[in-house]
Structures are given as C-alpha cells and as structure tokens.
Amino acid sequence: DITYHGPGQIVGYPLLDLEHFFTDIHKYMRYLEEAIIRTIAHYGIAGGRIDGLTGVWLDIDDPKKARKIAALGVKCSRWLTMHGFAFNVNTDLNYFNHIVPCGIATRGVTSLQQELGKEMDIRVVSGIVKGHLNDLFKMELVNVSRETLNA
C-alpha cells in the first residue's frame, strides 16, 4: 500500500480549506482526478476512474490493459487538505517494479511519456494541470516551494 514519488512526476499537494469550497472529501478527490483526466485529454489520451480504485486510469474498460497514470492520497483535518496526487509525466517506471503501487498488484502503471512516446516538458504539463485545478475550484492557485514553507 505504498507509492513512489520521484523525478519525472508532478506531485501536487494542494493546501485548501474546503469550507471555502465544499465539505465533501470524495468530491475533492474527484476534482483532483478530473484535473489529471482533463490534462491527459489535452494530449489526446482518454483517462477515467475505476470503481473502488482511486486515481486516474487508462483503458478502464479492459482490466488486462488498465494502468494508472496518477495516484492520489489525501488527508483532511478540520476540512484543511493535505497530501494530494502524483502524476507520472516522465517517470522512470522501473521504480514501480520494486513495490506494489497502492497495494494493487493486478494493474500496471504508466506515464505521459510512455503513452506518447516522447519526453514531455514537465513545466508545460504542470501549467495545464494547474489551469484545470483553477477552473474546477474557481480559484487561482499559487505555487509554494519547500524553501518558502521551511523559512
């Protein structure tokens, strides 16, 4: 029941007070998934959800081909969100051979690079994800670096 965070991923940990949006953690998670679904659609890739399996998946109608492109793991305390998503953009998928991603042994993982056959500009992809989050939540996200948080 673990995941991998590393180079080539967009790891988004939105820090939101859901009382300003809605008090529904399931809706929050669906919004995070939807931002990734819309982002991969921008690149011509159909993504979706699989009942009972959180995250964004490709080939959802074929269990033998279904593979995860984005994992989610969130925490919420007093409607303040923590953690978020890991979206595989240019991720070295070999790292996943050493774990059972999210405890799901029957399905694989993929990346945007794997699906498109070329390395992606992670800053461009990140901007697209951010734009979809802004649209879905009707807000403007700001980036906060670790250095800022640790200051």
Side-chain angles (χ1 to χ4, degrees):
D1 290 332
I2 63 173
T3 194
Y4 166 77
H5 292 324
Q9 287 183 325
I10 296 172
V11 178
Y13 280 15
L15 305 174
L16 303 175
D17 182 345
L18 290 183
E19 287 192 13
H20 294 287
F21 301 97
F22 44 77
T23 51
D24 182 338
I25 193 66
H26 296 287
K27 183 175 180 179
Y28 173 67
M29 292 181 69
R30 300 303 77 86
Y31 272 31
L32 295 180
E33 290 168 340
E34 186 63 25
I36 306 299
I37 290 168
R38 291 180 183 188
T39 299
I40 64 176
H42 174 87
Y43 293 99
I45 299 171
R49 299 173 184 89
I50 297 176
D51 287 341
L53 300 176
T54 301
V56 177
W57 298 83
L58 308 186
D59 287 320
I60 62 173
D61 296 325
D62 186 344
K64 292 179 182 176
K65 288 184 179 178
R67 57 214 177 276
K68 187 184 276 192
I69 197 164
L72 273 75
V74 301
K75 180 178 177 181
C76 189
S77 177
R78 298 184 183 149
W79 298 114
L80 300 174
T81 64
M82 293 164 262
H83 308 295
F85 63 87
F87 174 24
N88 296 326
V89 179
N90 297 317
T91 311
D92 180 349
L93 299 175
N94 289 315
Y95 288 108
F96 291 99
N97 294 333
H98 304 285
I99 64 172
V100 178
C102 302
I104 305 168
T106 58
R107 308 267 166 74
V109 295
T110 192
S111 68
L112 201 55
Q113 178 182 30
Q114 177 75 27
E115 297 300 318
L116 297 175
K118 63 181 181 179
E119 187 169 332
M120 306 302 297
D121 184 330
I122 203 158
R123 291 169 299 188
V124 171
V125 178
S126 181
I128 294 169
V129 172
K130 185 177 172 183
H132 290 305
L133 288 169
N134 286 340
D135 290 344
L136 288 161
F137 286 96
K138 298 179 181 19
M139 65 172 184
E140 184 177 345
L141 284 172
V142 294
N143 292 332
V144 178
S145 67
R146 285 184 193 201
E147 292 78 23
T148 301
L149 290 173
N150 292 329

